[in-house]
Amino acid sequence: SKEQGRNSFRFFNKVMKESAKKRMEMEISLRQALENNEFILHYQPKLNIKTSAVYGMEALIRWQPEDSKLIYPGQFIELAEETGLIIPMGEWVLREACKQCKMWHDAGYPLTVSVNLSAQQFQKHDLTELIAKIIVETGLNPDALELELTESTVMKEPKQAAYMLQQLKELGVSISIDDFGTGFSSLSYLNQFPIDTLKIDRSFINDAHENEANQAIAAAIISLAHGLGLGVVAEGVENEEQLRFLKLKQCDAAQGYFVGKPMGEELILDYIKKNTG
Ligand code: C2E
Ligand code: CA
Ligand code: CA
Ligand code: CA
């Protein structure tokens, strides 16, 4: 009836207002968190499957509000992207990760550090300058910095992306395609972009040992990468069986809870001392 329609409109309107309000509150706290330095980085190890040595760390952002529990990026990255806060946040991540990696080098551990870049960061024309500046500032060898970009980020504006990636490569950093296999893009871009590594999405790894289709996909991505002269990393490796499968298929590197969970400052140096070759 008309009355019902009106009621459901009112209800809808109320829900909309509440979610808009929640969003605004969240945006304000994100801004404050950035000002108050409430973000931290955790680091997740990358294992060279052949040598069994840990060679690198991926930086993953977390929000640690004072007196409250840790908040994971799934709960704030999207809003940070929508509000543009990802730009200053991403700059902080880059600088912090490079600083940390330089400290590892100074302590005698020549690890790489991988930083996730959002599409918005990648579309800013001054990204290369920013990264060049951070490299100079921190004194990090650019060889040690890897940028992780998703297929969809790169495929938004393929022409511009090719130019941007070329510029980044000239700085000496490496480029990795994250969540590979989950996008809907054609494969023809792979040999047009200066990419170093493919990261197989964890959805193909997690149940690879019991799912033959996923096993076939993971194996195909490994041989595709090698055929193109690229490295290949499997993410989401949670048990020995998965690692054994990847070794059999000659995957270069593995990441996942079985290798090591993302770790904060208290744990990471100990882990590095025990696990680097
Ligand atoms: P991602 O780049 O694909 O990172 C991998 C995610 O999978 C991480 O979640 C990691 O903790 C989780 N993971 C690692 N190993 C395993 C495993 O064996 N099993 C399972 N089930 N999960 C595993 P996290 O840290 O919550 O990050 C989620 C996403 O947030 C990241 O996905 C990335 O897209 C984004 N993100 C994280 N840090 C940053 C950042 O500094 N900047 C940007 N732009 N995005 C970030
Ligand atoms: Ca990543
Ligand atoms: Ca990923
Ligand atoms: Ca992902």
Side-chain angles (χ1 to χ4, degrees):
S1 74
K2 218 174 186 176
E3 186 57 25
Q4 262 174 339
R6 215 174 287 140
N7 277 339
S8 63
F9 174 74
R10 274 194 207 116
F11 174 72
F12 178 69
N13 206 21
K14 185 163 176 274
V15 170
M16 285 297 284
K17 273 190 188 139
E18 273 168 9
S19 71
K21 185 163 170 261
K22 256 208 177 128
R23 235 182 86 105
M24 239 164 71
E25 285 168 357
M26 179 82 167
E27 182 180 343
I28 291 167
S29 9
L30 265 186
R31 255 177 229 288
Q32 283 170 347
L34 206 56
E35 279 170 23
N36 301 340
N37 279 313
E38 290 178 354
F39 292 101
I40 58 171
L41 292 182
H42 279 186
Y43 293 93
Q44 187 177 35
K46 294 189 179 185
L47 178 82
N48 179 321
I49 296 177
K50 237 178 237 153
T51 65
S52 294
V54 167
Y55 68 93
M57 295 284 170
E58 177 177 358
L60 295 160
I61 195 169
R62 275 98 183 81
W63 177 7
Q64 176 64 83
E66 213 183 325
D67 307 321
S68 154
K69 40 176 228 234
L70 207 60
I71 304 174
Y72 288 81
Q75 286 185 265
F76 61 86
I77 283 285
E78 210 178 289
L79 186 63
E81 282 171 346
E82 287 167 14
T83 56
L85 278 172
I86 195 72
I87 299 296
M89 189 183 287
E91 179 172 343
W92 177 83
V93 172
L94 274 164
R95 186 170 283 112
E96 185 65 21
C98 289
K99 247 191 243 170
Q100 181 58 257
C101 189
K102 172 68 168 141
M103 287 198 270
W104 293 329
H105 289 193
D106 290 346
Y109 304 103
L111 295 162
T112 61
V113 74
S114 307
V115 173
N116 293 287
L117 286 191
S118 84
Q120 276 212 44
Q121 286 175 279
F122 188 64
Q123 275 152 11
K124 283 208 78 187
H125 60 87
D126 60 353
L127 177 67
T128 315
E129 268 168 66
L130 174 68
I131 292 176
K133 195 176 97 186
I134 289 173
I135 284 169
V136 171
E137 239 176 67
T138 58
L140 181 69
N141 183 340
D143 279 0
L145 177 61
E146 176 179 64
L147 304 172
E148 296 195 2
L149 297 149
T150 64
E151 258 177 300
S152 61
T153 291
V154 170
M155 291 312 287
K156 256 182 198 132
E157 298 277 356
K159 277 217 182 92
Q160 213 177 306
Y163 175 74
M164 185 63 112
L165 293 175
Q166 199 54 55
Q167 273 194 320
L168 289 167
K169 286 295 297 174
E170 279 164 22
L171 286 182
V173 306
S174 349
I175 308 292
S176 170
I177 299 296
D178 207 351
D179 303 343
F180 188 79
T182 60
F184 294 93
S185 48
S186 86
L187 296 174
S188 62
Y189 77 92
L190 285 173
N191 57 10
Q192 287 157 27
F193 291 155
I195 293 162
D196 301 283
T197 309
L198 300 182
K199 281 189 86 170
I200 309 173
D201 190 71
R202 72 162 185 263
S203 58
F204 302 117
I205 305 299
N206 277 171
D207 59 354
H209 58 290
E210 57 210 22
N211 183 325
E212 279 180 27
N214 281 344
Q215 233 173 48
I217 292 170
I221 296 174
I222 294 166
S223 67
L224 171 69
H226 288 161
L228 292 167
L230 308 177
V232 58
V233 181
E235 60 176 31
V237 178
E238 292 183 352
N239 57 51
E240 196 170 4
E241 211 172 342
Q242 291 161 357
L243 189 60
R244 219 180 298 131
F245 168 79
L246 292 164
K247 188 173 182 141
L248 185 75
K249 298 295 172 186
Q250 295 178 38
C251 186
D252 302 309
Q255 212 181 354
Y257 296 164
F258 184 67
V259 174
K261 287 197 171 175
M263 286 165 270
E265 236 171 303
E266 331 74 56
L267 298 175
I268 195 73
L269 199 60
D270 235 27
Y271 180 92
I272 289 172
K273 285 176 183 164
K274 288 189 183 117
N275 294 282
T276 49

